[in-house]
Amino acid sequence: MKNIIFTGLFLSLVFLSYAQANIDSLQRLLDENLLSVERIDILNNLAWQLKRRNQDLSKHYAEEALELSEDSHYLQGIGEATKALGFLQAYYGDSEECLSFCKRAIQSFREVGNKKQIGSIFLLLGNLLKNKSKYIESIEKYYEGIRITDSCACVDLQASIYMSIADVKIIQKDTTSARDNYRKSIRILEPSTYLDRLGVGYYKYATYLSAIGLPDSAFYYLKKSEAIYKELDLKERLSNVYGAIGNIYLQKGQQNQAISSFEESLELIDTTNNKFALATAYYQFGYSLFRGGNLHQSEYYLRKCI
């Protein structure tokens, strides 16, 4: 369980530097002379991407997008802005306002026939309920999202929902259901072109397998994730995979292989600006050296992660 929580946190954090480059690019576009709809779409994009990083700025962008959308009767814009504001209200702890915004977003998306966005709101609501430890209610929202998106080509969204269901089942210690839902997400993604998301699916399933004591099966799926990230040249995610492979080698008592994997992870992440991921890589490499009996080098890398 601890392995799942730690690697899940690390996986989400190593993605941050990719998002920052996109945010910077979008913010520069706002200085240009844009059509109303173009500006609304950029504002909504920024509001959504900033929702976890800078809630005040996210709220500012979403409110401007909502005002412009209402003035121009742009329903898609209204839906995206109210969806972002719903998330932010949940973050601020106002559940009633969150539901009010989400209902308005669903209404707008229904009018334009955007089932994928409606499904994404149920995923959002499910995640929010999960974070409040309301696991039964969260599962209900996830399945509503799946039901809504069954009739549209929403492969990536449905896979994400199944992964979220699996995450809840792990918390509920229902390992069989967790396994089945991870497998569903992978089966959906494997015939698709969503390689990036498939890599995440392989990685999360491998993390689960490692945590329940199946290191060989976990290693198999990590290698599949590694192949995807090599093809896409996603260095930070590849670094994360090597870190997970190193943990498996530690589980199996193969110290030299663990050290080698953690060293690969560190070399990849050292070329980026992701300080948290770099600190984690230092820790993993230092710990593996400690386990291998190299106390002097171990202390050096463990101190670098502080």
Side-chain angles (χ1 to χ4, degrees):
M1 180 66 70
K2 289 181 180 178
N3 285 342
I4 290 174
I5 294 170
F6 175 75
T7 49
L9 173 63
F10 184 37
L11 179 62
S12 64
L13 286 169
V14 295
F15 298 163
L16 290 178
S17 62
Y18 293 104
Q20 185 58 50
N22 190 41
I23 288 168
D24 293 342
S25 176
L26 289 171
Q27 286 176 324
R28 285 192 295 271
L29 284 175
L30 287 178
D31 294 330
E32 298 182 7
N33 187 20
L34 300 170
L35 296 174
S36 177
V37 169
E38 292 174 331
R39 184 173 183 83
I40 291 167
D41 289 342
I42 292 172
L43 288 167
N44 276 326
N45 198 333
L46 283 167
W48 191 249
Q49 291 197 49
L50 288 165
K51 66 187 185 297
R52 296 183 190 277
R53 294 180 165 197
N54 188 330
Q55 287 74 36
D56 290 341
L57 188 55
S58 174
K59 185 170 182 284
H60 169 75
Y61 285 140
E63 287 177 340
E64 183 181 345
L66 180 57
E67 183 178 353
L68 290 172
S69 297
E70 289 174 333
D71 290 343
S72 58
H73 306 288
Y74 180 36
L75 290 173
Q76 180 70 23
I78 291 172
E80 291 180 11
T82 49
K83 175 184 169 183
L85 290 167
F87 178 93
L88 291 168
Q89 290 303 321
Y91 177 86
Y92 294 136
D94 193 333
S95 298
E96 288 188 11
E97 278 295 298
C98 167
L99 288 173
S100 176
F101 278 119
C102 285
K103 286 178 181 177
R104 190 175 176 194
I106 289 171
Q107 181 182 352
S108 296
F109 289 135
R110 277 183 176 149
E111 289 189 49
V112 297
N114 194 330
K115 291 185 178 181
K116 184 170 184 177
Q117 279 284 15
I118 297 172
S120 74
I121 292 174
F122 281 101
L123 172 59
L124 165 63
L125 291 171
N127 288 339
L128 295 173
L129 288 165
K130 178 185 71 174
N131 293 338
K132 291 185 174 183
S133 301
K134 296 182 178 181
Y135 302 125
I136 295 174
E137 294 95 326
S138 73
I139 292 290
E140 290 173 354
K141 296 298 182 185
Y142 291 142
Y143 278 119
E144 181 65 12
I146 289 172
R147 185 190 66 77
I148 288 168
T149 56
D150 264 343
S151 60
C152 64
C154 305
V155 171
D156 56 331
L157 176 59
Q158 286 208 332
S160 295
I161 295 174
Y162 281 122
M163 287 183 207
S164 294
I165 293 171
D167 292 343
V168 172
K169 293 300 181 181
I170 286 172
I171 296 170
Q172 294 178 317
K173 298 183 180 180
D174 185 349
T175 55
T176 300
S177 184
R179 178 202 64 201
D180 291 345
N181 280 284
Y182 280 133
R183 286 179 176 176
K184 280 180 186 177
S185 69
I186 289 171
R187 281 199 302 269
I188 289 171
L189 288 167
E190 281 183 329
S192 75
T193 58
Y194 295 101
L195 283 181
D196 186 3
R197 196 68 193 151
L198 179 59
V200 173
Y202 285 146
Y203 179 88
K204 294 191 77 170
Y205 187 43
T207 300
Y208 155 80
L209 291 168
S210 176
I212 63 171
L214 296 173
D216 292 333
S217 297
F219 186 84
Y220 171 78
Y221 283 100
L222 284 170
K223 296 300 286 184
K224 289 171 81 73
S225 184
E226 175 193 13
I228 289 174
Y229 292 150
K230 278 185 174 179
E231 180 181 344
L232 299 177
D233 194 30
L234 298 177
K235 289 184 173 60
E236 290 192 36
R237 301 189 191 189
L238 190 57
S239 169
N240 197 33
V241 170
Y242 287 138
I245 289 173
N247 283 326
I248 288 176
Y249 282 132
L250 283 180
Q251 276 184 275
K252 299 173 75 171
Q254 297 173 307
Q255 304 298 332
N256 290 336
Q257 293 94 325
I259 289 170
S260 178
S261 291
F262 288 134
E263 189 171 19
E264 284 187 271
S265 173
L266 180 56
E267 286 174 357
L268 282 168
I269 208 68
D270 201 23
T271 63
T272 74
N273 294 319
N274 193 328
K275 292 182 179 179
F276 179 90
L278 181 60
T280 303
Y282 281 140
Y283 172 80
Q284 290 179 318
F285 188 43
Y287 180 67
S288 66
L289 290 168
F290 171 78
R291 289 278 296 268
N294 192 335
L295 301 184
H296 178 71
Q297 273 197 305
S298 170
E299 181 182 5
Y300 171 77
Y301 284 103
L302 288 174
R303 286 186 179 278
K304 285 179 74 71
C305 80
I306 297 174

